[in-house]
Amino acid sequence: MSKPDISRAKSAALYEKAKTYFPGGVNSPVRAFKSVYGTPLFIEKGDGSHIWDADGNEFIDFCCSWGPLILGHNHAAVREKVTEVMQKGMSFGAPTALENELAELILSNNRFIQKIRFVSSGTEAVMSAIRLARGYTKRDKVLKFEGCYHGHSDSLLVKAGSGLVTFGETSSAGVPKAFADETIVVSLDDKKALQEAFEEFKGQIAAVIIEPVPANNGLLLQTQDYLDHLRQLCTENGTMLIFDEVISGFRVGFEGAAGYYGIQPDIITYGKIIGGGLPVGAYGASAEVMDHVSPVGSVYQAGTLSGNPVAMAAGIAQIGELLKPGFYDSLHAKTAGFVNDIQHFVDERGYTVKIFTIGSIFWFAFTDQESITTAEQIDPNSMIRFKEMHRELINRGIYLGPSGYEVGFISAAHTSTDLETTKTAIFDSLDIVFK
Ligand SMILES: *Cc1c(COP(=O)(O)O)cnc(C)c1O
C-alpha cells in the first residue's frame, strides 16, 4: 500500500521564500526536485547516515551531498579538525602548513600523480585541467563523451549533435558556438567513433576527458578493454588523457579509478570527497606536467580561497580516515551485500530493474538490459518508475537524490540496521511501482 505523503509544510514555505531570492528557489538546479514529486526538502541537520528536514522528518540519506560525505554527516574527526583550525582564522591568502599536510596525505598514497593544485570546486578543477592540457600540447580541441558531466565550464557544456563524430552543440544558453566548436563529442564505449575522431582531427586534440566511472547520467560502467584502448589511442596521438575523478576519486578506492583500472592518465581531477564536505577541488599530474602551471609555468590559474585552511582541515580529517586499513574493503562489501539482496528480490519478482554498482556507488536502472554503457541506452520513459519509487521511499524515510539519472552513495556511517530498513522500504516501494 502507498504511504500517505509526509508533511512538507515548512519546506514548502521555505521554498516559496527561496523562489523570491534565487532562480528556481535554489543555488544548484537539481535541488529543485523537478524530476520527482513534491516540493524540495529543506535539510536542517545531518548526523551519520541520517538527515532531518525542516518539518522534522528523518531520512536515511543515500545522496550524501552528492558524494562528498563518504564518512557520513557530521563525522567527529572532520568536525573536530575543522573546529580546531577555525579558531585561528578563516583565510589568509598565504600558504599554510595545512595545504602541505593534505597534499602529502594524497601524494604519498597515490601512484598516479606527483604534484597537485588545490582549487575550490570540481568545475574549477576540470576547467584548469583542460587549460593545462591545451597549454602543454599547444592544441585547442577537446574530446568529451556524451553522458559524462564535468561541471559547468563553457567548453564542456556541450552535447553531441547528430552523427558518429560531431562538433558539440552547446547545452546551455550563453555558451558561444565558437567554444562548442572546439569540443568534439562522441558516445562512450564506441571504439569506431574514437578512431574516426582521431583521424578527422589528427594532431589537433589536446585532451580527451572522461569520467572513468561515468556516474552523472546513470552509472555507465566502461569495460577495462575500452579504457585501455582509450589510453593507447591518446598516447599514439600525443593527446592528454584526463580522468575526471571528481566522483570516483577516493570513492572506488583511495587511488580512484586510475588505481581501480590500473591506468595512468596524464591529468586527474578531484573534488567532492577531497574536501570532506567543504568546497575543495584539485588537479594533479606528473611533476613535469604540473610545472607548466603558474607561477613556474605559463598556464595561468589562481584562486583567492584556494587551499583555504578550514577546507583543508576537513579534507585532512576525512582523507586520514580513508587511509585506515580495511576502510574500502568493508565499505564495498557492505554495498555489494545491499545491492545483491535488492537484485535478488527484483529478479524473483520478475521486475525490470537492474542495480548497477561499483565500490560504494549504486544506480537503479528500470531496464531489462544486462549492461548499460552509453547514455543513449537509457530509456527516458523508465524515469517514470524512478519518480514513483522516489516518492514511496521519501514517504518511508529513505532519501535518494531527486532524479533517476543520479547515482546513490553508501557511506561508512550506514549501519546494517540502516541497510535492512532501506531494503524493506525498497521492496515495498517496488511492489507498488510494479503493481
Ligand atoms: C560533481 C562533478 C563535477 C563538478 O564539480 P562541482 O564541485 O559541482 O563544480 C565535475 N566532474 C564530475 C565527474 C562531477 O561528478
Side-chain angles (χ1 to χ4, degrees):
M1 269 250 298
S2 266
K3 287 248 189 189
D5 285 334
I6 53 167
S7 163
R8 302 192 189 194
K10 292 203 172 120
S11 281
L14 287 165
Y15 188 45
E16 285 311 306
K17 261 271 181 249
K19 280 195 275 190
T20 70
Y21 301 137
F22 315 116
V26 290
N27 287 298
S28 195
V30 72
R31 297 179 195 170
F33 270 46
K34 290 276 188 214
S35 310
V36 292
Y37 290 102
T39 191
L41 299 171
F42 278 61
I43 305 303
E44 208 161 87
K45 67 169 183 177
D47 193 43
S49 57
H50 290 235
I51 52 174
W52 287 262
D53 70 11
D55 290 277
N57 300 305
E58 179 175 352
F59 304 93
I60 304 173
D61 179 23
F62 292 91
C63 180
C64 296
S65 190
W66 303 102
L69 303 181
I70 194 168
L71 302 176
H73 295 268
N74 200 12
H75 188 272
V78 178
R79 182 181 63 241
E80 281 160 19
K81 183 78 182 168
V82 165
T83 311
E84 173 204 316
V85 166
M86 68 198 286
Q87 309 303 317
K88 300 183 192 165
M90 300 294 166
S91 178
F92 310 108
T96 66
L98 293 159
E99 290 151 83
N100 285 2
E101 204 181 320
L102 182 55
E104 178 165 2
L105 277 176
I106 295 167
L107 296 175
S108 60
N109 293 290
N110 183 327
R111 293 163 295 166
F112 299 90
I113 52 172
Q114 295 173 332
K115 279 193 179 179
I116 194 164
R117 170 64 63 85
F118 292 122
V119 294
S120 299
S121 71
T123 295
E124 211 186 335
V126 169
M127 190 183 79
S128 309
I130 296 278
R131 185 178 305 138
L132 174 57
R134 285 173 162 156
Y136 186 87
T137 59
K138 304 191 167 54
R139 298 175 179 180
D140 288 341
K141 295 218 183 307
V142 168
L143 185 146
K144 79 174 283 280
F145 297 91
E146 188 70 4
C148 286
Y149 177 70
H150 302 293
H152 65 88
S153 66
D154 284 341
S155 306
L156 297 167
L157 279 185
V158 169
K159 60 176 191 279
S162 53
L164 193 58
V165 175
T166 60
F167 285 118
E169 290 174 13
T170 63
S171 58
S172 164
V175 177
K177 184 175 173 303
F179 285 37
D181 285 349
E182 300 300 332
T183 305
I184 303 153
V185 186
V186 300
S187 282
L188 284 161
D189 193 28
D190 186 344
K191 289 185 183 174
K192 190 154 168 272
L194 271 182
Q195 191 68 41
E196 261 188 44
F198 274 108
E199 278 166 19
E200 191 170 337
F201 301 102
K202 201 160 184 52
Q204 299 174 54
I205 306 177
V208 168
I209 184 163
I210 188 169
E211 284 182 81
V213 174
N216 275 289
N217 187 78
L219 183 61
L220 306 173
L221 296 174
Q222 302 299 293
T223 62
Q224 177 82 42
D225 173 59
Y226 178 74
L227 293 171
D228 285 337
H229 177 75
L230 179 62
R231 172 65 275 182
Q232 196 189 330
L233 269 183
C234 287
T235 306
E236 286 167 11
N237 287 278
T239 293
M240 294 187 109
L241 177 60
I242 304 174
F243 270 11
D244 181 356
E245 299 229 42
V246 171
I247 283 191
S248 57
F250 309 100
R251 173 60 68 178
V252 299
F254 193 86
E255 292 177 312
Y260 185 91
Y261 292 107
I263 294 175
Q264 174 69 63
D266 297 297
I267 307 175
I268 309 182
T269 59
Y270 299 104
K272 300 195 167 103
I273 290 175
I274 199 173
L278 270 70
V280 182
Y283 60 108
S286 68
E288 191 262 326
V289 169
M290 286 307 283
D291 282 343
H292 283 68
V293 176
S294 187
V296 275
S298 54
V299 174
Y300 189 71
Q301 184 270 310
T304 301
L305 294 177
S306 291
N308 172 269
V310 182
M312 293 292 106
I316 290 163
Q318 175 147 285
I319 296 293
E321 293 294 313
L322 308 184
L323 286 166
K324 291 187 175 163
F327 177 85
Y328 287 101
D329 289 342
S330 73
L331 183 58
H332 295 178
K334 187 160 79 176
T335 309
F338 175 72
V339 168
N340 281 341
D341 289 351
I342 301 169
Q343 192 65 56
H344 185 73
F345 170 85
V346 297
D347 289 347
E348 269 198 338
R349 300 273 170 134
Y351 297 157
T352 49
V353 180
K354 170 97 182 126
I355 304 111
F356 294 99
T357 185
I358 182 171
S360 48
I361 308 176
F362 63 89
W363 177 52
F364 277 88
F366 290 84
T367 180
D368 51 13
Q369 300 172 82
E370 265 314 299
S371 81
I372 295 188
T373 57
T374 72
E376 298 80 4
Q377 287 166 347
I378 302 176
D379 175 9
N381 289 319
S382 69
M383 295 301 157
I384 297 163
R385 292 217 148 116
F386 177 84
K387 188 173 170 178
E388 286 172 23
M389 180 178 80
H390 188 270
R391 174 190 216 152
E392 292 301 328
L393 287 176
I394 285 281
N395 291 337
R396 287 170 172 76
I398 309 297
Y399 188 93
L400 292 184
S403 159
Y405 290 94
E406 301 290 353
V407 297
F409 298 98
I410 292 189
S411 77
H414 286 85
T415 63
S416 53
T417 310
D418 288 330
L419 297 180
E420 286 306 316
T421 306
T422 305
K423 275 187 272 179
T424 304
I426 288 173
F427 298 165
D428 293 347
S429 299
L430 287 174
D431 280 340
I432 290 165
V433 171
F434 285 96
K435 78 173 176 290

